[in-house]
Amino acid sequence: MELPRIELPRIVSTDDHVVEPAHLWQSWLPAKFRERGPRVERRGVAGIRVVGPGPRYAHDFDPSGRPADCWVFEDLVFVQKRTTAAVGFAREEMSLTSITYDEMRPGCYDPKARLADMDVNWVEASLCFPTFPRFCGQTFHEATDDRELGLTCVEAYNNWMVEEWCGDSGGRLIPLCLVPLWDADLAAAEVRRNAARGVRAVAFSEIPPFLGLPSIHSGYWNPFFAACDETGTVVCMHIGSSSRMPSTSPDAPHAVNASVAFNNAMASMSDYLWSGLMVRYPNLKLAYSESQIGWIPFLLERIDAKWRDARSWLGDGGLPEPPSHYYHNRIFGCFFDDRFGVRSRHDVGIDNITFETDYPHTDSTWPNTREVAERLMAGVPDDEIYKIMRGNAIRMLDLDLDRS
């Protein structure tokens, strides 16, 4: 029997992506940095191969190959790929193929076109992670030893994000900013600079040591976490923001890596819940994007059991309450296709769940997100649908929506 149609509220998506427009750094960098700043060049690409988890790619450049628009920065050549600008292509065409801006759907890089595509998709507001800088800006940490240039590139991205990408959207495009990963004090300053103009989200790595950076247990990041705590800035961590996806072996099919990608988010959440940071910074909020949610109840059960039964030799992490106490209302999961997670929503925490469309990646449900969400929400009470589809995201990001 066909279920009755759900009155689905307009979606607030907490994980989408922007393909940076070709003019970004050449327009937003100070003049003295433009010659060395990121720029787009068209090159021929004969082939692209995945050569390791991350994923890491190898490119075969050939002037007679398929045209590709590439970001060039220092010694880095970043090839635009159809997999990160996939909307508008049939599923079988969403391949690891080079692409130009001319071939992309304009909503990938143009804010007005993005708003139009959001309207088609029943989406009111959207938080977008970067593409060329990678999910937490690690490009600017890895691609240059000139820290002044790297910092200026981060600042230019953030200025573009706030003023151009989000500026004329009426609050529908939600700013997500970057920080210089190589300096926690500079990162804290950038959080505060952007918070002063209304930004409430910052991208960060799920597992910093995978980037060659100090762990969250080291104390190194305390200035950054203090700034997020003081300003109400949510620490947003996308799967892959550690540049290393889980893998069982070097020769495992890449489908294995994709299937267990949530493992990094699970390890990261355990890190935070045992770290004591949630005690020291009582306003600190975390968000895990594209990790799905069905794994969360088991993790909470497991870490609480260890806190309860094995403190005599594991220690209690300095936690006066069980670790799950610091999860509720402060750590948010995000999903786009997790039926088990929806069935387990009360164990996940009905106030801890947000929704995403993943536009414009291969996993995106655009332009059918409304229909997908209605199927997922079948049998869920209206008040819980509201929380999952938009209410929790509004509260998490302190958005000026639905205020009575």
Side-chain angles (χ1 to χ4, degrees), residues 351-363:
D351 296 314
N352 296 74
I353 304 171
T354 65
F355 195 67
E356 64 171 281
T357 81
D358 200 31
Y359 183 110
H361 286 184
T362 55
D363 280 333

Side-chain angles (χ1 to χ4, degrees), residues 102-306:
D102 300 329
E103 298 170 293
M104 294 179 197
R105 189 172 181 86
C108 294
Y109 56 84
D110 177 82
K112 290 183 179 178
R114 175 63 66 92
L115 292 173
D117 280 355
M118 289 162 58
D119 286 338
V120 168
N121 210 31
W122 202 243
V123 174
E124 180 169 4
S126 167
L127 181 80
C128 291
F129 285 84
T131 298
F132 166 67
R134 310 219 303 282
F135 293 141
C136 66
Q138 58 264 58
T139 291
F140 299 118
H141 166 59
E142 297 169 353
T144 181
D145 293 326
D146 184 336
R147 292 313 188 198
E148 184 183 14
L149 173 62
L151 175 61
T152 307
C153 286
V154 168
E155 293 171 339
Y157 178 90
N158 292 340
N159 293 339
W160 165 83
M161 167 62 63
V162 173
E163 299 177 38
E164 183 176 324
W165 179 252
C166 300
D168 293 328
S169 71
R172 295 186 63 194
L173 294 172
I174 305 162
L176 173 66
C177 286
L178 305 177
V179 294
L181 293 168
W182 54 89
D183 189 311
D185 291 315
L186 288 177
E190 189 64 6
V191 166
R192 291 190 172 96
R193 181 177 82 92
N194 291 302
R197 49 183 175 173
V199 177
R200 292 295 178 266
V202 62
F204 192 59
S205 174
E206 57 203 349
I207 306 177
F210 285 178
L211 300 178
L213 297 166
S215 79
I216 65 167
H217 307 288
S218 66
Y220 175 84
W221 295 104
N222 286 355
F224 167 72
F225 292 127
C228 294
D229 178 78
E230 293 164 12
T231 60
T233 299
V234 184
V235 179
C236 298
M237 294 171 281
H238 196 284
I239 57 167
S241 57
S242 60
S243 296
R244 186 191 301 179
M245 297 296 277
S247 179
T248 57
S249 63
D251 59 347
H254 300 303
V256 172
N257 309 144
S259 299
V260 299
F262 70 91
N263 280 356
N264 278 357
M266 183 166 60
S268 176
M269 190 181 294
S270 182
D271 240 5
Y272 278 93
L273 288 174
W274 280 112
S275 68
L277 290 168
M278 309 302 284
V279 178
R280 292 197 294 277
Y281 302 110
N283 299 309
L284 184 64
K285 292 186 289 186
L286 313 176
Y288 288 93
S289 291
E290 206 171 317
S291 60
Q292 311 303 327
I293 58 174
W295 51 271
I296 293 175
F298 172 74
L299 176 67
L300 297 178
E301 178 182 282
R302 181 68 173 167
I303 60 177
D304 276 2
K306 291 301 172 186

Side-chain angles (χ1 to χ4, degrees), residues 2-19:
E2 185 175 346
L3 292 170
R5 188 176 180 90
I6 293 170
E7 290 298 325
L8 192 80
R10 291 282 295 278
I11 295 163
V12 176
S13 175
T14 56
D15 174 32
D16 294 311
H17 301 265
V18 59
V19 177

Side-chain angles (χ1 to χ4, degrees), residues 41-93:
E41 296 180 359
R42 185 159 293 184
R43 300 189 178 187
V45 176
I48 305 173
R49 305 181 309 282
V50 178
V51 295
R56 298 194 305 274
Y57 302 100
H59 307 92
D60 300 318
F61 293 102
D62 185 331
S64 63
R66 197 179 194 285
D69 282 336
C70 308
W71 284 103
V72 179
F73 178 53
E74 303 284 75
D75 295 329
L76 173 67
V77 180
F78 180 96
V79 178
Q80 302 275 25
K81 302 169 185 66
R82 195 179 288 179
T83 49
T84 54
V87 291
F89 291 99
R91 285 288 170 190
E92 61 272 14
E93 297 174 323

